Amino acid sequence: MGVKLLLEKANVPGIRSFEVYRREGGYRSVEKALKEMNPELIVEEVKKSGLRGRGGAGFPTGMKWSFIAKPEGVPRHLVCNADESEPGTFKDRYLMEFIPHLLLEGLIVSSFALGSNDTYIYIRGEYAWITDILEEAIEEAKAAGFLGKNILGTGFDCNIHVQRGAGAYICGEETALIESLEGKRGNPRIKPPFPAIQGLWMRPTVVNNVETLAAVVPIINMGGDEYAKIGVGRSTGTKLISACGNINKPGVYEIDMTISVEEFIYSDEYCGGIKGGKQLKACIPGGSSVPILPANLLLKTAKGETRYMNYESLSDGGFATGSMLGSGGFIVLDEDQCIVKNTLTLARFYRHESCGQCSPCREGTGWMEKILYKIEHGKGSMSDIDLLWDIQRKIEGNTICPLGDAAAWPVAAAIRHFRDEFEWHINNPELSQTSNFGLQHYADPIHVPA
Amino acid sequence: MAYIFNDTQMAEFKRLVARYPEGKQKSALLPVLHLAQDSFDGWLPTEALDYVASLLQIEPIEVYEVATFYSMYNLKPVGKYVFEVCQTGPCMISGSDSIIDYIKQVLSIQPGETTKDGLFTLKLVECLGACGYAPMMQVGKIFREHLTKEKVDAIIAEYRQTANNN
């Protein structure tokens, strides 16, 4: 059993209520932070912890906090990004649904560190029942004196408000989220100015993911140095992984980032192996936008070393032979899955979710979907593969926000590692409609790394 | 139908607006549109959008551009129960295609259509954050997960029963 810092108490009966959560030691970090520490000290502890943003980008949280501007007389805001919408990712939902007070506790401490008296949780619109859970938890915390005016008699005021989105993946991008919170379309802003200088209502704002803010609780309780001892290298602490696809035990797991990918997939403590005793074909290890890896490159790096479930190891080899830890959305594909079809559904997703501001993304995502649709339905030609490659290259890096990259990467990686499967579809238009390519890649020497 | 909030709805409207600083009431637009949709038969005709604009003291166009951007706002009438079935990668590899085909067959409708009795609408949606519990669909506030054909039958029967009882 690995270390559990976030979900340790998630299975305690009644933990969703304030009473049980408090009895189990909850809200200690608020007492410690507000009574014994000051905002600068909290930021220092978070810096020492090495905590990196758990939403997908992995940016050091303490550093992000230290960027916030503090102009005289201008309110600052902390915004919690609960717009979890990256396909394969459902860890924040789990945390908020089962242990909502952990998020609130992290939010109160973080709000104190950043000087936010009005903190907002922006939650994806579809999580309507979780919105109710959070609002109930907020009322409980308020009644107990942990929220509202003069918290624990320290003079610090803080209110937490929950706002539902309305079905737009793009609002997980922090500036689109801010626009949406202001009652507008979710069109990302051009940076600079960064939210830390001009964010919500043009006030200094920090936007952090749910899991990141929850991780502040153990950091304050145990101290940043102790937290940093868990994990390996720059992958400190624990990470929530939401595992899905063709595995025996889909679900949310907290890992300490020292376990191997192989152990994560096959151990009964985690995914429990591939469903139906089938073979592993491929995996998207960090949410749908990170590069898909064929089984051989997933379990071992190109150098033949064991691959681990952490930031550095999963990205070992760059995009040529590696991927990313991303949001921790771990999607496993078995031998029966068709890479072309899987890529098509992801391309359709990104076309649907493109906000339409930047031409390369707005037009490119549509074209990628159309071409993949052709290939998948037995109407593709060889030049389509090169065309797809060309389009994704023209999207990547040429848009205001990272959605363009997120749409380009899955297509690029699918072609990079499974080009023979695309060619097979094109060469076998009829056969490909009734059967699939299976594991033939692994017979092809091109796809077996040296 | 008159597109005006009743007292309860108006109280909720005021609660939503109060979360934001003075003069920033436009921020309440998304939640207020949810409230309007829930209050007015599950969809938002232009009259409802105009009403929301007048309540928030913003221009109607500011409401239209938001209502057309977000996929959860229905701009056309929908059935009493909307089956929003996820079709993105993780659900697809877990068998969402056969669930979608089955719903089409059982209800005799295509995606975007409503059954003749006005009870059910089928809507295909992108990832709802339930990938580990696939295949799945959202009906109202609830996620229906680990779908099988038998489960779909039971869900349809359940809603028919609820509708009959009301």
Side-chain angles (χ1 to χ4, degrees):
Chain A
M1 285 292 276
V3 188
K4 303 235 178 317
L5 301 176
L6 304 178
L7 301 184
E8 189 193 354
K9 308 269 184 186
N11 292 324
V12 173
I15 196 72
R16 199 184 272 171
S17 74
F18 176 85
E19 198 194 331
V20 176
Y21 182 77
R22 178 79 175 133
R23 198 178 63 216
E24 291 290 327
Y27 287 98
R28 272 184 301 139
S29 74
V30 174
E31 290 171 317
K32 184 173 176 185
L34 269 60
K35 291 181 174 169
E36 301 166 23
M37 299 171 79
N38 62 39
E40 291 71 31
L41 274 174
I42 297 170
V43 176
E44 252 343 280
E45 286 305 314
V46 173
K47 274 188 181 166
K48 277 192 225 161
S49 74
L51 176 67
R52 294 167 68 177
R54 301 292 196 232
F59 190 82
T61 306
M63 197 188 291
K64 190 171 187 176
W65 284 12
S66 66
F67 293 152
I68 195 165
K70 295 176 177 167
E72 253 332 273
V74 182
R76 301 188 286 275
H77 295 287
L78 170 63
V79 176
C80 170
N81 185 346
D83 192 56
E84 179 169 68
S85 348
E86 171 89 357
T89 316
F90 49 98
K91 63 183 179 72
D92 296 339
R93 160 192 169 172
Y94 187 92
L95 194 151
M96 293 186 287
E97 185 170 356
F98 294 103
I99 188 159
H101 283 286
L102 180 68
L103 172 61
L104 299 189
E105 184 176 351
L107 275 168
I108 298 165
V109 173
S110 308
S111 297
F112 178 65
L114 293 161
S116 169
N117 301 120
D118 281 290
T119 291
Y120 293 85
I121 301 175
Y122 183 94
I123 187 166
R124 68 175 300 175
E126 292 88 347
Y127 288 173
W129 80 99
I130 300 177
T131 309
D132 295 343
I133 291 172
L134 289 171
E135 291 198 326
E136 204 184 315
I138 289 170
E139 288 310 315
E140 286 180 322
K142 207 179 275 178
F146 282 94
L147 273 175
K149 284 218 169 298
N150 192 20
I151 296 171
L152 305 176
T154 59
F156 175 60
D157 302 338
C158 183
N159 283 302
I160 298 177
H161 316 273
V162 190
Q163 168 158 332
R164 275 173 73 199
Y169 167 76
I170 189 62
C171 292
E173 194 280 334
E174 61 179 12
T175 60
L177 186 154
I178 289 169
E179 286 284 296
S180 187
L181 202 44
E182 291 183 359
K184 301 175 197 159
R185 296 167 72 96
N187 288 352
R189 295 176 181 172
I190 292 174
K191 298 190 255 193
F194 286 88
I197 313 296
Q198 289 182 320
L200 182 61
W201 305 307
M202 300 312 266
R203 299 168 176 177
T205 304
V206 165
V207 182
N208 283 141
N209 170 262
V210 171
E211 187 189 344
T212 313
L213 291 161
V216 171
V217 174
I219 290 171
I220 294 306
N221 282 336
M222 69 204 291
D225 287 332
E226 282 303 306
Y227 183 90
K229 285 182 191 161
I230 300 162
V232 59
R234 291 182 60 235
S235 298
T236 61
T238 61
K239 175 83 188 87
L240 297 183
I241 305 288
S242 58
C244 65
N246 311 123
I247 47 176
N248 283 317
K249 289 170 60 194
V252 178
Y253 299 99
E254 182 168 7
I255 61 161
D256 70 5
M257 296 200 267
T258 57
I259 66 167
S260 70
V261 176
E262 188 166 357
E263 182 187 350
F264 185 69
I265 293 179
Y266 291 101
S267 142
D268 283 336
E269 197 182 326
Y270 304 106
C271 303
I274 310 298
K275 214 172 172 179
K278 292 192 173 149
Q279 296 288 312
L280 169 68
K281 176 170 182 173
C283 174
I284 306 173
S288 64
S289 57
V290 310
I292 189 169
L293 288 178
N296 50 1
L297 282 178
L298 176 73
L299 303 177
K300 297 231 186 290
T301 66
K303 285 174 268 173
E305 290 162 358
T306 304
R307 208 186 276 282
Y308 293 94
M309 295 287 292
N310 61 49
Y311 291 98
E312 289 75 23
S313 186
L314 277 169
S315 57
D316 184 281
F319 278 9
T321 58
S323 184
M324 282 168 78
L325 178 64
S327 64
F330 195 84
I331 312 169
V332 178
L333 287 77
D334 71 18
E335 59 188 284
D336 292 339
Q337 302 308 327
C338 169
I339 299 298
V340 176
K341 187 167 184 189
N342 183 61
T343 312
L344 165 62
T345 74
L346 299 183
R348 185 189 59 221
F349 173 84
Y350 290 107
R351 186 266 302 155
H352 183 262
E353 302 300 342
S354 173
C355 82
Q357 258 192 131
C358 314
S359 312
C361 175
R362 181 187 62 239
E363 305 300 321
T365 52
W367 280 109
M368 292 198 300
E369 182 197 359
K370 283 179 192 153
I371 296 164
L372 283 160
Y373 185 91
K374 258 177 76 185
I375 299 175
E376 163 64 12
H377 289 84
K379 299 198 168 61
S381 58
M382 278 300 174
S383 61
D384 284 338
I385 302 177
D386 294 333
L387 187 55
L388 271 177
W389 187 262
D390 189 49
I391 295 170
Q392 66 81 18
R393 269 190 57 211
K394 284 176 174 144
I395 300 174
E396 188 189 6
N398 291 322
T399 54
I400 291 173
C401 86
L403 192 142
D405 299 347
W409 295 342
V411 174
I415 296 175
R416 186 182 301 120
H417 298 301
F418 297 93
R419 193 178 181 111
D420 48 356
E421 188 158 344
F422 285 81
E423 290 174 358
W424 178 80
H425 268 259
I426 290 158
N427 290 329
N428 300 280
E430 278 162 23
L431 185 64
S432 68
Q433 300 309 294
T434 54
S435 65
N436 79 57
F437 192 69
L439 293 173
Q440 293 179 49
H441 311 273
Y442 301 99
D444 179 346
I446 296 168
H447 292 276
V448 180
Chain B
M1 141 166 221
Y3 295 99
I4 294 174
F5 287 152
N6 63 27
D7 289 349
T8 323
Q9 292 153 356
M10 192 51 97
E12 176 64 6
F13 168 78
K14 287 185 177 148
R15 186 183 79 91
L16 294 173
V17 173
R19 293 169 175 171
Y20 308 98
E22 197 73 23
K24 305 291 184 196
Q25 78 282 0
K26 183 181 170 176
S27 285
L29 180 52
L30 270 72
V32 172
L33 283 175
H34 281 304
L35 175 65
Q37 181 159 291
D38 292 344
S39 307
F40 306 139
D41 284 340
W43 74 291
L44 295 165
T46 309
E47 294 92 320
L49 300 178
D50 290 347
Y51 175 63
V52 167
S54 70
L55 282 180
L56 288 173
Q57 297 166 298
I58 55 178
E59 294 300 324
I61 184 66
E62 295 177 81
V63 180
Y64 302 164
E65 63 176 12
V66 163
T68 54
F69 183 84
Y70 296 93
S71 62
M72 286 183 78
Y73 300 127
N74 298 315
L75 302 177
K76 285 191 298 190
V78 289
K80 198 171 168 67
Y81 305 104
V82 185
F83 286 1
E84 303 185 65
V85 191
C86 176
Q87 54 171 350
T88 314
C91 270
M92 188 278 290
I93 63 175
S94 307
S96 62
D97 283 1
S98 67
I99 295 297
I100 293 166
D101 286 344
Y102 187 67
I103 296 173
K104 284 201 257 186
Q105 183 203 322
V106 174
L107 295 178
S108 304
I109 49 173
Q110 292 300 312
E113 292 177 355
T114 301
T115 52
K116 287 204 187 76
D117 58 9
L119 275 188
F120 301 105
T121 298
L122 173 60
K123 198 170 159 183
L124 302 186
V125 297
E126 301 295 348
C127 190
L128 296 185
C131 316
Y133 323 106
M136 63 77 65
M137 65 176 174
Q138 178 168 26
V139 189
K141 265 191 172 184
I142 308 166
F143 278 14
R144 298 293 191 136
E145 299 171 331
H146 298 296
L147 292 179
T148 57
K149 288 175 183 173
E150 293 72 32
K151 225 167 175 175
V152 169
D153 285 338
I155 291 168
I156 291 172
E158 177 195 322
Y159 286 119
R160 284 214 169 107
Q161 186 69 41
T162 314
N164 276 341
N165 291 346
N166 290 339

